[in-house]
Amino acid sequence: MTSNFQMEKDPSLKKPQKVFFILFGIMFLISPFYYQPNLGGEGLSVPHNSSIWIIASWIIASASFLIYKKDRIVLPKHWLALALLPLGAIITSYIAENNNPTEWLVRLSVICGGYIFLISLFQFELTSKQIERSLYILLSMGLVAAFYGVIQTKGIPIILNIVPKSADPIAIGIFQQVNIQASVMATVLTLVFYLISRPSHKSLNPIILVALYITALFASYNIIVSGSRVGLLGIILSLTLLLIGRWKIFLKSKRIFLGLLITTIIGGFLGSQGLGVTTQKFDRIMGQDIRWTIYEMSWELYTEAPVFGHGLGSFQKVFQDKRAMNQTLEKHNLGNSPKFSHPHNEFVFWLIEGGTFAIVGILIATIYTFIQLVKIGWQRGFGYAALLVPISLHTQVELPFYISNTPWFLLLIILFLVHQSGKKIYSTSKLSKSASKTIPLTATAISLVTTNTLVQAQVGNAGLINYFHTGQQNPIYLQSPLKSQYFEDYTTFLLLRQNMFIGIGQNNPKPAKLYAKWAEEQIKVSPSLIYYRNLAIAYDYTNRNKERDKIMKIAMSTYLNNLDLQQLNQQFMQKDLEDENSSGTIKQLETSN
């Protein structure tokens, strides 16, 4: 989807820009749509997170070669302020004591890699026209993603495993999560209106214009049918900002604008069944929305380690401990809610794990971005702010960047737009030849390692799926996930648990002891219900009843009203009673003899 141009015939496209468009096109037209059956959740468990980072790493490597070849680096005016965001996370991660190694590595890789990706975009020195073309590539991605949402809600048969399937007819899109789909669609719909306010709207190709209308129709349908509060609020705020900043331009293209507005309304009307869900969710905000309890408990955790936080990857453990204590004191009640890996607010998340030190970096980067929006003028400023709103708003109620990295890169590209004005060129000629060569060689090496690691992760992901599809009866499928650092802990759990139950069937206590030893360490960083449950079984089988009762007490105080735990505890109590009666009978026989 481009407007009246052919890249190969455009004399303004030099080799670096051609490389950029090839990689950028793959990154947003192919990588986000890579799908294979998976466990779901977040991180590398969602396949396209791997594929999109592979291409991002090669964009970074390509940019590093440009720095080396041209002996210069292009930086945004406020590059140092933006750098404080990853810098704060890095420093606090080395000072805090309770870092989860895997989470620590993934979190720093994403945030530092994101910043380097942002800086890399500047090295291709794209013209205004070329930047607009990249936005049309993003719009094309949005159109396909919106179409995915439509076929998911309509129950249209999906051929092969190329589109995520949903148990219910809801628009989960490529992200496998309905609210992220809604927020990305809000960003895409805002982009549609933004593009018709660009100077090029006067010469839009009819095919491009039709594509804009279809995108607006599908995107608005996805937003409304999803029942997402954050998606609906995001598009309302975004379109309001666009109208405030660019209403004069919309008047000049009023036919297209009104046509898109009517199309947007029609799409919303077609998905109006989702408004009932939205209304119910808004009613919950006024009533007993669980987020308020989460935020209150999160604040208590922040006050316990306000400067450097509890450590990257520590949230699961410290939150579950706080949850158990507060529920025991009847201060809070999260009932049978599952394990929390995030407080559903990015700002609060970093307050807990990184403390004030990390938050200062985020705030400074945000403040200088706001200053940049003000300085570039009200028309462009309001336009870019409108594009930033949906995803930025979503970070304050959920965890979009952890479930899918596509919103993360969308945000980075919008920040690239914001910080175009005032960019500066710095010479790197003072670096020695060996130092200059180190930059591209290191970036290439990292890209190769990244590609290998992420491919290996998806091979492991496939192994886990095959293992479950065979009824957990073929451990050979677990060999590949064992080789992936990301899936190693979970795969180890599956193997140790299976061996434990086989050992119980064969009256062999050794596997149970091995599982107990592993789980005792694992629950220190990941206090999962299933880990607790099986640890209690291991303790029970090896006659460690005191440890069993202690771990059951912790589990039941954390996961209140969990029927599975209650039934298991009842079985333990019944077993203890039978053992006690049996012991009493034996004593009576001994006494009578």
Side-chain angles (χ1 to χ4, degrees):
M1 183 190 292
T2 51
S3 56
N4 293 329
F5 62 81
Q6 295 291 328
M7 284 186 190
E8 63 274 12
K9 296 179 181 179
D10 188 345
S12 70
L13 277 174
K14 298 178 182 178
K15 190 173 182 179
Q17 286 82 43
K18 289 180 180 179
V19 171
F20 169 80
F21 277 107
I22 290 170
L23 291 173
F24 194 80
I26 295 172
M27 184 174 181
F28 285 99
L29 297 180
I30 297 176
S31 294
F33 301 100
Y34 170 68
Y35 176 76
Q36 66 183 54
N38 59 87
L39 299 175
E42 57 187 74
L44 300 185
S45 295
V46 180
H48 72 262
N49 286 337
S50 291
S51 58
I52 200 168
W53 265 109
I54 288 173
I55 306 303
S57 72
W58 287 107
I59 288 178
I60 293 171
S62 299
S64 70
F65 271 99
L66 289 176
I67 295 172
Y68 167 69
K69 185 177 180 180
K70 295 181 178 181
D71 278 334
R72 66 183 189 182
I73 183 171
V74 183
L75 294 174
K77 182 179 180 180
H78 304 300
W79 68 271
L80 185 57
L82 295 173
L84 291 178
L85 195 157
L87 189 61
I90 291 171
I91 293 175
T92 190
S93 71
Y94 279 100
I95 295 176
E97 297 180 355
N98 299 315
N99 296 308
N100 179 328
T102 301
E103 288 288 331
W104 177 86
L105 179 62
V106 171
R107 198 78 49 77
L108 286 185
S109 297
V110 170
I111 194 170
C112 294
Y115 176 76
I116 297 172
F117 174 81
L118 173 63
I119 297 301
S120 297
L121 295 178
F122 288 93
Q123 309 317 311
F124 295 95
E125 299 184 71
L126 302 177
T127 64
S128 178
K129 186 178 180 181
Q130 291 165 352
I131 290 174
E132 185 174 302
R133 292 173 181 175
S134 67
L135 295 181
Y136 275 102
I137 290 175
L138 294 182
L139 194 71
S140 300
M141 182 274 291
L143 175 57
V144 178
F147 178 69
Y148 275 28
V150 172
I151 64 176
Q152 286 163 343
T153 59
K154 297 302 180 182
I156 299 173
I158 300 173
I159 302 174
L160 303 177
N161 286 319
I162 59 174
V163 179
K165 296 180 177 66
S166 174
D168 300 313
I170 56 177
I172 61 173
I174 58 178
F175 313 106
Q176 302 181 211
Q177 211 272 353
V178 65
N179 291 321
I180 296 179
Q181 171 77 353
S183 289
V184 171
M185 290 299 101
T187 304
V188 169
L189 184 54
T190 305
L191 183 59
V192 169
F193 281 93
Y194 172 77
L195 286 171
I196 66 160
S197 69
R198 297 273 299 177
S200 60
H201 79 270
K202 298 176 182 178
S203 57
L204 281 176
N205 186 299
I207 296 176
I208 302 301
L209 193 57
V210 171
L212 287 170
Y213 282 119
I214 296 173
T215 304
L217 181 72
F218 285 0
S220 60
Y221 170 82
N222 273 263
I223 295 167
I224 302 302
V225 80
S226 69
S228 172
R229 295 167 293 183
V230 68
L232 180 60
L233 186 58
I235 192 58
I236 290 173
L237 292 175
S238 292
L239 292 184
T240 300
L241 289 173
L242 267 182
L243 285 172
I244 292 172
R246 306 173 82 86
W247 64 272
K248 289 183 179 180
I249 304 176
F250 287 134
L251 285 177
K252 294 178 182 179
S253 58
K254 56 186 175 184
R255 286 187 178 181
I256 300 176
F257 173 74
L258 289 174
L260 283 174
L261 189 61
I262 292 171
T263 303
T264 299
I265 293 171
I266 292 172
F269 177 77
L270 293 174
S272 58
Q273 65 267 32
L275 288 175
V277 179
T278 309
T279 302
Q280 293 174 5
K281 290 180 178 179
F282 274 115
D283 289 341
R284 276 211 310 269
I285 292 180
M286 306 305 294
Q288 297 296 322
D289 194 308
I290 197 172
R291 283 188 180 88
W292 299 117
T293 301
I294 295 172
Y295 295 158
E296 187 177 344
M297 291 171 59
S298 296
W299 177 254
E300 292 178 9
L301 287 170
Y302 164 67
T303 58
E304 293 174 4
V307 180
F308 296 110
H310 293 272
L312 296 190
S314 65
F315 176 82
Q316 293 187 46
K317 176 60 177 174
V318 296
F319 187 84
Q320 295 299 77
D321 288 346
K322 174 65 69 174
R323 173 183 179 179
M325 183 180 71
N326 284 5
Q327 288 179 158
T328 300
L329 298 173
E330 298 184 354
K331 187 176 180 180
H332 296 114
N333 189 341
L334 293 177
N336 195 29
S337 299
K339 178 188 68 175
F340 289 92
S341 61
H342 190 281
H344 291 265
N345 184 295
E346 192 70 11
F347 188 85
V348 173
F349 190 43
W350 281 101
L351 271 179
I352 294 171
E353 293 201 345
T356 304
F357 201 85
I359 286 297
V360 167
I362 295 174
L363 288 176
I364 291 175
T366 303
I367 289 169
Y368 274 92
T369 297
F370 180 77
I371 291 172
Q372 183 76 357
L373 287 170
V374 173
K375 286 187 175 181
I376 60 179
W378 63 277
Q379 281 192 347
R380 280 195 297 166
F382 273 104
Y384 294 155
L387 291 170
L388 284 169
V389 163
I391 294 174
S392 300
L393 182 64
H394 198 148
T395 64
Q396 300 309 295
V397 296
E398 277 194 342
L399 54 161
F401 300 151
Y402 303 89
I403 295 176
S404 173
N405 289 150
T406 303
W408 173 232
F409 285 109
L410 282 175
L411 184 68
L412 291 171
I413 291 165
I414 299 169
L415 288 175
F416 168 67
L417 298 178
V418 174
H419 290 277
Q420 274 293 304
S421 179
K423 59 188 178 183
K424 298 181 179 181
I425 298 176
Y426 298 90
S427 174
T428 59
S429 59
K430 292 183 179 181
L431 293 175
S432 64
K433 288 186 177 180
S434 58
S436 296
K437 289 181 180 180
T438 299
I439 297 174
L441 291 176
T442 301
T444 302
I446 292 174
S447 296
L448 289 170
V449 171
T450 298
T451 300
N452 178 68
T453 301
L454 296 178
V455 168
Q456 191 178 67
Q458 291 317 307
V459 172
N461 204 345
L464 286 171
I465 292 299
N466 288 330
Y467 175 72
F468 285 113
H469 280 174
T470 57
Q472 303 184 49
Q473 298 300 313
N474 199 340
I476 194 171
Y477 287 120
L478 296 181
Q479 291 182 0
S480 56
L482 268 179
K483 296 176 182 177
S484 169
Q485 185 177 356
Y486 190 83
F487 293 110
E488 183 181 5
D489 286 341
Y490 183 60
T491 307
T492 301
F493 159 71
L494 293 174
L495 283 170
L496 290 176
R497 182 183 66 172
Q498 185 184 56
N499 290 338
M500 179 178 72
F501 284 114
I502 291 174
I504 290 174
Q506 298 174 347
N507 291 322
N508 179 10
K510 186 176 180 180
K513 292 178 180 178
L514 288 174
Y515 175 82
K517 184 178 180 180
W518 175 86
E520 286 166 353
E521 294 301 315
Q522 192 65 22
I523 60 174
K524 293 179 181 178
V525 294
S526 182
S528 173
L529 169 61
I530 196 169
Y531 292 165
Y532 278 134
R533 183 185 186 280
N534 286 281
L535 179 56
I537 292 172
Y539 282 152
D540 180 73
Y541 182 66
T542 53
N543 297 316
R544 298 169 65 182
N545 289 3
K546 288 185 178 180
E547 290 94 331
R548 179 202 68 189
D549 292 342
K550 181 180 179 181
I551 209 68
M552 282 298 295
K553 183 179 180 181
I554 294 172
M556 293 180 71
S557 63
T558 304
Y559 301 98
L560 292 176
N561 308 321
N562 183 278
L563 293 178
D564 186 48
L565 282 178
Q566 291 176 358
Q567 291 172 0
L568 181 64
N569 192 55
Q570 190 65 36
Q571 292 174 14
F572 289 152
M573 292 174 64
Q574 182 66 31
K575 177 176 174 292
D576 290 346
L577 182 61
E578 291 174 357
D579 289 344
E580 185 179 340
N581 290 337
S582 175
S583 177
T585 301
I586 292 173
K587 287 182 179 180
Q588 288 179 1
L589 290 173
E590 289 176 349
T591 302
S592 61
N593 290 332

